[in-house]
Amino acid sequence: MQTLKFAVLPGDYIGPEVMSAALRVLEHVAKQEGFALSYQIADVGGAGIDNHGKALPDSTLELCQSADAILFGSVGGPKWEKLPPKEQPERAALLPLRKAFSLFANIRPGLLYPDLTDASPLKAERIPNGIDIVCIRELTGGIYFGQPKATTTLENGEQQAVDTMVYKTSEIERIAEVAAVTAKARGGKVCSVDKANVLETSVLWRKTVTDYFAKNHPELALSHMYVDNAAMQLARDPNQFDVLFTENMFGDILSDEMAVICGSLGMMCSASLGTGQNGLGKPFGLYEPAGGTAPDIAGKGIANPCAQILSAALMLRYSFGLDAVAAKIEAAVRKAVTVDLVRTGDIAFGKPSVGTETMADAIIKNL
Ligand code: IPM
Ligand code: MG
């Protein structure tokens, strides 16, 4: 019997609520499909700060190191907002985890079911068939981690700060490969986003991507777009893209734009894949919903668990090689929302809505 060994980091506010729903779904498919789950739960984010003095406690990092994947909830909220930025739960938990496991490839599906177009701020006629795109963001390079990164005092007493955007060809090639593999499994179309009219890193990015695809994936339709234009095109006609991929900070911004045009944050899942292989010879990865901790609805049992459940499905697909089981969970979520019309408040559009556990029950029933 295959045993799936993963670390569970629920985090703060709605994090633990939606995590418990996702674990129920995983327990259910494990029993059905005949595999075993071996997971331990640990504090991260605000819970890490409150219980261990830091957002990524050493014990939590060690647990992650001994696992084959990380199922992450969400972290942060008003309680820790007054801390200096470097110590805040989001930054102080996520950035070290990305660095520690070289989680260089952030995959964010932008999927909006046709039945949920009302959830999108875009006019329905722009997205008659919903939205189905993928944003792939480089996650361990660029201006987030480049050195120097510092604030200094100049001779005249003024302060000056610097961040450094830096990329090597090897970093560009490995994210280009993830984009290519993703595009091959979809429509074969990939758009690389950069700012090659201004930035040196982008000139290198565009050249490296062009050469890499010509050599390794000539059958894919590769295009390039400047990031400012990509921001406009996403809002104008998101489905002109299939797979779009870009460097770290551009991806941070574009993936949030994509999330909002896809309607409810409660439906948005993500995978961050590492360079390393886990004990099963698959990519080690961190899987998290994109929606955040939603402090305003925490503790009420009404948060949408779909994004957390869909993130668990991505974990099965990428880190455990269980593509068919992942697809089954995705289909169960889709049916619950679009056919059974079981919906949490964020996607109910004024119609009667259900709580977190009832939503999870409906998904489990479809399995
Ligand atoms: C994200 C977040 C993080 C980022 C923050 C919390 C450090 O915005 O995952 O997109 O900027 O990468
Ligand atoms: Mg972000």
Side-chain angles (χ1 to χ4, degrees), residues 98 108 137 144 251-253 255-256:
R98 288 175 190 167
R108 298 191 187 188
R137 165 188 176 193
Y144 271 59
D252 179 44
I253 299 165
S255 63
D256 263 22

Side-chain angles (χ1 to χ4, degrees), residues 332-343 362-363 365-366:
V333 172
R334 188 175 190 128
K335 176 163 181 288
V337 171
T338 64
V339 180
D340 309 335
L341 302 181
V342 179
R343 297 184 183 178
I363 293 163
K365 197 174 126 258
N366 289 339

Side-chain angles (χ1 to χ4, degrees), residues 106 109-110 141 235 242 247 279 288 320 331-332 342 349 355:
N106 180 225
D242 183 7
E247 69 88 42
E288 62 173 324
F320 296 111
V342 179
F349 314 120

Side-chain angles (χ1 to χ4, degrees), residues 7 13 48 50 74 76 110 116 136 145 148 151 168 185 187 189 217 227 265 308 318-319:
Y13 293 103
D50 290 354
S74 38
L116 286 188
I136 295 182
F145 293 99
T151 306
K168 296 194 277 250
K189 213 170 87 177
H217 303 286
V227 62
L265 281 175
Q308 188 74 61
Y318 290 114
S319 285

